[in-house]
């Protein structure tokens, strides 16, 4: 009998044969999108650790619109263990939405969010739980000791993103990951935030609460591939910066002031020359000025547009995700 099958019996049966699930002590939220190659391995490794920690657990798998066999695979597993619960989205809504859904449906006193590709080692769970239970930290952050190998261009953009995040929002998220343990109170606060565009990695430190950090070395993916292409990462970076800081928009005003001062400084002598009849043809200056002002205006409009787009998205008030079906919930 596999560990999974033996865990089936961990569910208590009521008098009339009705199933009574105990209030879970620990919930594990796993967002997955097309992880059929690795999800059963992840679940086996997680169950192995979790069951030893507490028989009162639940594992919430949020299937973020997978198009491969992920849903079928997890459904088959959930039939053997009632404590494995599945939420399936009607389409791919993104990892942030999947984390939010998992947190909303979780009921554990502590909730751990972890990736479905084994890059977040389940072996860290006992240490995380210890820090929460014995040392009363309300948030335990998994921190990467090094970044996975990435291509030079991607590495450059990633560094630029973290530099902007530190400069504009004051958060140094360079080694931060989504592998976190949150106390129920922190989860409730996270859920009750009104915003739609979320950045879990940044919002949790923003919420505050006493925090501990555990380092781990992110192994390479066992199977499957990373879901983040260059465009997706860029979008995430821009959204993250804009949702944490309005400083870029204020920089626009600053640039305007600088350009206004420059135009007065350049404009006065030009006007003087014109009035005194000594004006020379200054095409170079005109063209240069046009280029500089034009590009700054375009960038500024872009920055303002980004904020407008985010306000628009929030004001529509659409839900962050739509659930197609659930299992064991
Ligand atoms: N993921 C998701 N929805 C998405 C993209 C990713 O739920 O739209 C999940 C994915 O299945 C994995 C986790 O988020 O469990 C981390 O994704 P990935 O491994 O691709 O990111 P990386 O490790 O490269 O940062
Ligand atoms: Mg990964």
């Amino acid at each position: 009998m596999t560990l999974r099958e033996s865990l089936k019996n961990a569910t208590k049966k009521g008098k009339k044969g009705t199933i009574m699930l105990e209030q879970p002590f620990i919930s594990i939220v796993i967002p997955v999108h097309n992880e059929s190659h690795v999800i059963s391995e992840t679940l086996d490794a997680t169950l192995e650790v979790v069951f030893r920690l507490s028989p009162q657990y639940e594992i919430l798998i949020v299937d973020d619109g997978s198009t491969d066999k992920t849903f079928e695979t997890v459904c088959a597993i959930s039939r053997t263990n009632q404590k494995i619960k599945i939420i399936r989205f009607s389409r791919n809504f993104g990892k942030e939405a999947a984390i939010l859904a998992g947190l909303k449906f979780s009921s554990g006193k502590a909730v751990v969010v972890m990736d479905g590709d084994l890059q977040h080692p389940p072996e860290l769970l006992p240490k995380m739980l210890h820090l929460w239970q014995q040392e009363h930290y309300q948030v335990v952050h998994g921190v990467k000791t090094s970044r996975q190998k990435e291509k030079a261009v991607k590495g450059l953009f990633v560094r630029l993103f973290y530099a902007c995040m530190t400069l504009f929002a004051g958060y140094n998220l360079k080694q931060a990951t989504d592998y976190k343990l949150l106390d129920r109170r922190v989860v409730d606060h996270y859920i009750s935030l009104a915003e739609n565009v979320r950045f879990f990695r940044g919002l949790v430190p923003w919420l505050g609460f006493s925090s501990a950090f555990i380092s781990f070395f992110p192994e390479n993916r066992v199977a499957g591939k990373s879901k983040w292409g260059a465009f997706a990462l860029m979008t995430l970076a821009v959204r993250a910066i804009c949702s944490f800081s309005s400083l870029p928009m204020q920089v626009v005003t600053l640039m305007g002031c600088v350009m206004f001062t420059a135009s007065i400084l350049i404009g006065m002598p030009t006007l003087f020359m014109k009035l005194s009849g000594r004006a020379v043809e200054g095409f170079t200056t005109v063209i240069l000025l046009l280029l500089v002002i034009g590009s700054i205006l375009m960038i500024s409009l872009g920055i303002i547009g980004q904020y407008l787009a985010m306000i628009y998205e929030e004001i529509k008030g659409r839900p962050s995700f739509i659930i197609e079906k659930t299992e064991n919930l």
Side-chain angles (χ1 to χ4, degrees):
M1 205 197 306
T2 63
L3 177 70
R4 244 188 253 143
E5 282 158 357
S6 63
L7 293 180
K8 201 165 89 175
N9 307 324
T11 308
K12 280 183 187 165
K13 292 228 165 148
K15 268 184 189 163
K16 289 173 187 163
T18 49
I19 295 167
M20 288 188 350
L21 286 169
E22 327 91 17
Q23 168 83 17
F25 182 63
I26 174 166
S27 306
I28 314 267
V29 170
I30 309 180
V32 287
H33 175 67
N34 292 350
E35 301 287 6
S36 61
H37 301 293
V38 64
I39 190 64
S40 22
E41 212 176 314
T42 307
L43 279 175
D44 278 340
T46 311
L47 281 170
E48 188 105 30
V49 180
V50 170
F51 190 62
R52 277 190 196 103
L53 287 173
S54 161
Q56 286 153 274
Y57 68 90
E58 64 174 356
I59 296 183
L60 285 143
I61 299 166
V62 187
D63 177 14
D64 184 13
S66 295
T67 47
D68 65 357
K69 294 267 170 235
T70 304
F71 185 65
E72 286 79 359
T73 314
V74 288
C75 267
I77 302 174
S78 74
R79 263 174 240 127
T80 66
N81 184 350
Q82 294 272 323
K83 294 180 179 185
I84 297 180
K85 304 167 182 183
I86 305 168
I87 300 161
R88 177 166 166 81
F89 284 176
S90 58
R91 64 166 171 87
N92 180 235
F93 279 92
K95 187 183 177 185
E96 291 295 330
I99 293 178
L100 179 66
L103 292 178
K104 276 189 177 166
F105 281 87
S106 70
S107 47
K109 293 196 175 89
V111 184
V112 178
V113 176
M114 68 154 52
D115 279 3
D117 56 3
L118 276 182
Q119 284 190 301
H120 294 166
E123 297 75 46
L124 233 63
L125 288 170
K127 220 169 149 191
M128 282 182 145
L129 215 67
H130 172 85
L131 282 166
W132 165 71
Q133 218 175 355
Q134 312 295 328
E135 305 196 16
H136 308 293
Y137 284 103
Q138 281 153 310
V139 181
V140 185
H141 300 269
V143 180
K144 284 186 279 201
T145 49
S146 70
R147 289 196 58 85
Q148 297 103 302
K149 281 208 178 88
E150 25 191 37
K151 288 191 189 117
V153 183
K154 186 181 169 189
L156 199 75
F157 275 109
V158 168
R159 274 202 291 281
L160 182 71
F161 164 64
Y162 286 121
C164 287
M165 215 45 202
T166 313
L167 178 74
F168 293 132
Y171 290 120
N172 184 0
L173 298 177
K174 198 166 175 192
Q175 255 116 23
T177 68
D178 288 338
Y179 192 14
K180 298 184 195 299
L181 177 146
L182 310 179
D183 183 81
R184 183 81 249 157
R185 279 186 59 201
V186 184
V187 174
D188 290 341
H189 280 290
Y190 187 83
I191 296 169
S192 66
L193 293 174
E195 55 198 285
N196 254 329
V197 181
R198 287 174 191 241
F199 184 52
F200 183 68
R201 217 171 286 188
L203 268 179
V204 174
W206 179 87
L207 283 172
F209 294 100
S210 56
S211 306
F213 299 84
I214 300 185
S215 314
F216 70 94
F217 180 78
E219 296 295 337
N220 284 332
R221 258 176 173 273
V222 193
K225 56 177 196 277
S226 175
K227 310 290 175 301
W228 303 97
F231 188 69
L233 270 180
M234 212 112 84
T235 315
L236 179 77
V238 173
R239 282 168 158 239
I241 293 168
C242 292
S243 72
F244 274 90
S245 166
S246 57
L247 207 62
M249 212 148 57
Q250 281 142 20
V251 171
V252 172
T253 321
L254 192 75
M255 281 198 286
C257 293
V258 171
M259 286 316 289
F260 184 65
T261 317
S263 66
I264 290 179
L265 289 179
I266 299 167
M268 295 276 265
T270 316
L271 202 66
F272 178 74
M273 302 257 264
K274 173 90 181 155
L275 290 177
S276 60
R278 285 186 287 138
V280 279
E281 314 248 335
F283 274 127
T284 327
T285 330
V286 172
I287 289 168
L288 280 180
L289 273 179
L290 263 177
L291 283 176
V292 172
I293 297 173
S295 49
I296 290 185
L297 272 178
M298 298 274 237
I299 296 169
S300 313
L301 277 176
I303 296 173
I304 298 166
Q306 178 60 34
Y307 282 96
L308 260 180
M310 286 176 68
I311 295 169
Y312 175 58
E313 234 168 89
E314 294 288 350
I315 221 150
K316 277 187 292 188
R318 285 191 188 155
S320 308
F321 52 83
I322 293 168
I323 296 172
E324 187 185 318
K325 51 184 152 184
T326 61
E327 294 285 332
N328 291 344
L329 262 174

